[in-house]
Amino acid sequence: MEVLSKLLGGTLNSITCKCMVLFVTILLLRVLLLSSFPGFDGIEWNNLVYIQNHLPALLGSDSRIRPDKFLEVPQIVWGLNNQKIAFARACLTARMMNRTLLIPSLSASLFYKEIDLLQPISFDKVFKFDEFNTLCGGFVRLGRYADVLNRTQVLEMEKGSGRRWTMERDLAQLREYSKGSFDDHEVIRIVGKNPFLWHDHWPVKDYAKVFECLELIDEIAEEVDRVVSRIREVGKNVGGNTESLELKNNITSDKSLFQPLPYVAVHMRIEIDWMIHCKKLEQRLNTNQICSSKKEIKERVRNVVGQKTPIVVYLAVADKLLNDSSIMEDWEEGLHPFEKKKLGVTGIYNKYPYLIQSAIDYEVCSRADIFVGNSFSTFSSLIVLERTQNLIRKGVSNMCGTDARWPSYAYNIAGESNGPMRWITNMSESSLKSISYGTTHISC
């Protein structure tokens, strides 16, 4: 009774409420007690299922996601982290409509204009489907198309576009399709633009909760372990015989062979297409805190590492978009830069399409002892969000302190002593806009 009282907000003043709680309590006890006896039959099981399906509604909760009503979204496209944001936005849209999101199609390739080159890949070929529903149970839910009973009577809901389609209109449309004859349809299919470009109605903490439920499938996770093990391996040698680094190219996933030595991961955004984009963005926003030259990045990484050398610096770069060997040159003494080729791990990455390669790099950067990225990069921003969440879970109160674990920095913003600015995600933000499109306001 006490538990149910709390669920009802702690007030059981009315006779109706008291009767309802008494009824539910008796029914629950009846099912639980009788289930252990041979005479327990389908009638009692049906009662239990009824309670499971309807108790949240009886108790006034709106958090339950219906397993028999579905939302279908367009194929998710663009870069890995734009796809993760689009996926989370689709999940939160389904949650708002109290529906299960049908397992979406991601895009294995980076092309987004040439529809025939999108190379669709199912969500469960990258992330664990069952694990997602377990971790996100009660918050959002994924379903399979096999769960749909009637695939012919699908209601299409077209997302608006253009300046006249405001956030208020978008929100009103979602509410309209969540009730009455619209809600009677088993499947609502959203047609129109990519979910990444939909209006955002949810706080950062809601996105973070969805991201926490994303776990790579075992095959990809094992590849991440192999790359990280390789970085740790070369880290054991940088202070000694550096010649051996070029000779030891065997990859192993046996973590027991290595001690957990620290490494810095740097997301270097210096590709030609990025530099063109960021220069235009700086002009539009009247700032000089977006683009960073190779020289500036190297200087700021040195200043944040300080005297803690020698140390391995893993350079996360888009290899296909960058043909510049100079990124390995002119690093100060004690900093030992490695990219995929020098590490000897290109064979791991080349087995997979772009999306998987990016997912591996994301995890390698996320696990780094120090991460340095660009605050206008979605890739960097989501890594810092995840690292901030890890600090919160471990109860770290002063995440901006000089001795805080797993620090993150933005090299495009000058911090103390011309080092990069300390960076954490502001989890109280009301929308994901600052992460989706970049910001110079990075909490620390």
Side-chain angles (χ1 to χ4, degrees):
M1 288 283 286
E2 181 180 354
V3 173
L4 289 173
S5 175
K6 290 180 179 178
L7 288 172
L8 285 165
T11 57
L12 286 172
N13 297 326
S14 71
I15 296 177
T16 302
C17 285
K18 290 180 180 179
C19 291
M20 182 186 72
V21 172
L22 181 62
F23 165 76
V24 172
T25 303
I26 294 172
L27 193 55
L28 275 170
L29 290 173
R30 182 183 179 191
V31 171
L32 293 174
L33 290 173
L34 292 179
S35 62
S36 60
F37 292 95
F40 180 77
D41 58 21
I43 296 176
E44 301 302 338
W45 174 253
N46 287 339
N47 287 337
L48 183 60
V49 172
Y50 178 87
I51 293 174
Q52 177 185 352
N53 289 340
H54 295 276
L55 186 57
L58 288 171
L59 299 180
S61 170
D62 61 355
S63 64
R64 182 182 173 276
I65 305 301
R66 292 173 296 178
D68 59 342
K69 297 287 185 179
F70 304 94
L71 185 74
E72 182 181 357
V73 299
Q75 180 179 350
I76 295 173
V77 299
W78 295 6
L80 167 70
N81 292 286
N82 287 342
Q83 291 191 50
K84 287 171 71 172
I85 290 174
F87 169 76
R89 193 159 292 171
C91 284
L92 295 173
T93 301
R95 169 181 164 79
M96 181 177 178
M97 302 177 74
N98 196 16
R99 288 176 173 265
T100 295
L101 179 67
L102 285 173
I103 186 169
S105 175
L106 306 177
S107 298
S109 62
L110 188 56
F111 294 97
Y112 58 92
K113 293 182 179 179
E114 298 84 356
I115 302 300
D116 57 327
L117 298 176
L118 283 177
Q119 298 178 23
I121 181 172
S122 180
F123 172 89
D124 57 1
K125 299 299 181 184
V126 183
F127 301 104
K128 294 180 179 179
F129 176 91
D130 292 330
E131 191 74 10
F132 179 87
N133 278 341
T134 298
L135 295 173
C136 264
F139 186 69
V140 295
R141 185 177 184 276
L142 280 180
R144 298 187 184 277
Y145 280 85
D147 300 332
V148 178
L149 298 178
N150 188 342
R151 302 187 191 183
T152 59
Q153 295 182 349
V154 175
L155 175 66
E156 290 194 345
M157 180 176 75
E158 186 170 357
K159 277 281 185 181
S161 61
R163 293 185 179 181
R164 292 187 177 182
W165 188 257
T166 62
M167 181 180 294
E168 291 73 21
R169 288 188 176 186
D170 186 82
L171 188 60
Q173 183 194 48
L174 294 179
R175 288 171 174 163
E176 180 184 13
Y177 276 74
S178 300
K179 58 188 179 182
S181 60
F182 293 115
D183 191 52
D184 291 339
H185 288 78
E186 183 183 11
V187 178
I188 293 179
R189 176 188 297 140
I190 297 183
V191 295
K193 56 188 179 180
N194 170 38
F196 176 74
L197 298 175
W198 292 357
H199 284 291
D200 184 8
H201 306 294
W202 303 278
V204 168
K205 62 182 181 64
D206 284 359
Y207 282 92
K209 185 170 181 62
V210 176
F211 295 146
E212 281 188 301
C213 302
L214 294 172
E215 287 201 5
L216 294 173
I217 62 173
D218 291 340
E219 177 188 347
I220 303 174
E222 289 168 4
E223 302 287 30
V224 175
D225 290 340
R226 296 178 71 195
V227 176
V228 172
S229 293
R230 179 57 174 166
I231 296 173
R232 301 291 191 194
E233 178 186 8
V234 299
K236 291 176 62 178
N237 292 277
V238 294
N241 181 12
T242 55
E243 182 181 355
S244 65
L245 300 180
E246 306 300 329
L247 300 176
K248 296 177 67 175
N249 288 320
N250 293 328
I251 309 298
T252 177
S253 60
D254 186 356
K255 300 178 188 176
S256 64
L257 297 179
F258 312 111
Q259 296 300 316
L261 299 176
Y263 70 93
V264 179
V266 181
H267 180 217
M268 292 191 76
R269 291 248 55 186
I270 55 172
E271 305 90 347
I272 294 176
D273 64 324
W274 165 258
M275 297 306 290
I276 294 173
H277 166 72
C278 74
K279 288 295 183 183
K280 292 180 179 178
L281 197 57
E282 282 189 338
Q283 291 175 0
R284 189 165 73 246
L285 299 179
N286 192 28
T287 181
N288 60 355
Q289 293 184 313
I290 301 177
C291 305
S292 292
S293 65
K294 289 175 287 187
K295 181 180 179 181
E296 183 178 66
I297 295 172
K298 293 171 184 178
E299 288 178 352
R300 288 185 174 169
V301 171
R302 151 56 73 186
N303 289 336
V304 74
V305 172
Q307 302 302 314
K308 299 175 182 178
T309 59
I311 194 167
V312 170
V313 180
Y314 175 69
L315 306 179
V317 294
D319 304 84
K320 291 185 178 180
L321 301 176
L322 179 71
N323 185 19
D324 185 357
S325 60
S326 68
I327 64 169
M328 303 296 292
E329 301 170 358
D330 301 324
W331 289 83
E332 293 191 29
E333 184 179 357
L335 301 182
H336 297 268
F338 286 85
E339 34 72 77
K340 300 175 185 66
K341 185 176 181 181
K342 189 176 179 181
L343 275 175
V345 297
T346 52
I348 292 177
Y349 285 85
N350 290 341
K351 291 188 297 183
Y352 300 101
Y354 156 78
L355 186 70
I356 309 301
Q357 293 183 24
S358 187
I360 295 173
D361 245 13
Y362 178 93
E363 288 298 322
V364 172
C365 289
S366 183
R367 295 186 190 182
D369 300 274
I370 299 174
F371 174 72
V372 189
N374 188 300
S375 67
F376 278 78
S377 162
T378 307
F379 183 95
S380 293
S381 295
L382 289 196
I383 288 174
V384 175
L385 184 151
E386 182 173 322
R387 291 167 70 89
T388 302
Q389 278 287 87
N390 287 338
L391 291 171
I392 293 173
R393 282 198 300 270
K394 294 186 179 296
V396 177
S397 57
N398 184 16
M399 290 184 282
C400 292
T402 56
D403 58 347
R405 299 178 64 186
W406 307 301
S408 301
Y409 298 86
Y411 58 67
N412 57 303
I413 305 174
E416 295 181 1
S417 303
N418 198 36
M421 179 68 77
R422 192 64 178 273
W423 185 7
I424 64 169
T425 300
N426 184 354
M427 303 302 292
S428 64
E429 289 281 359
S430 60
S431 79
L432 204 69
K433 183 177 180 180
S434 62
I435 293 175
S436 304
Y437 297 100
T439 181
T440 56
H441 302 289
I442 53 177
S443 296
C444 284

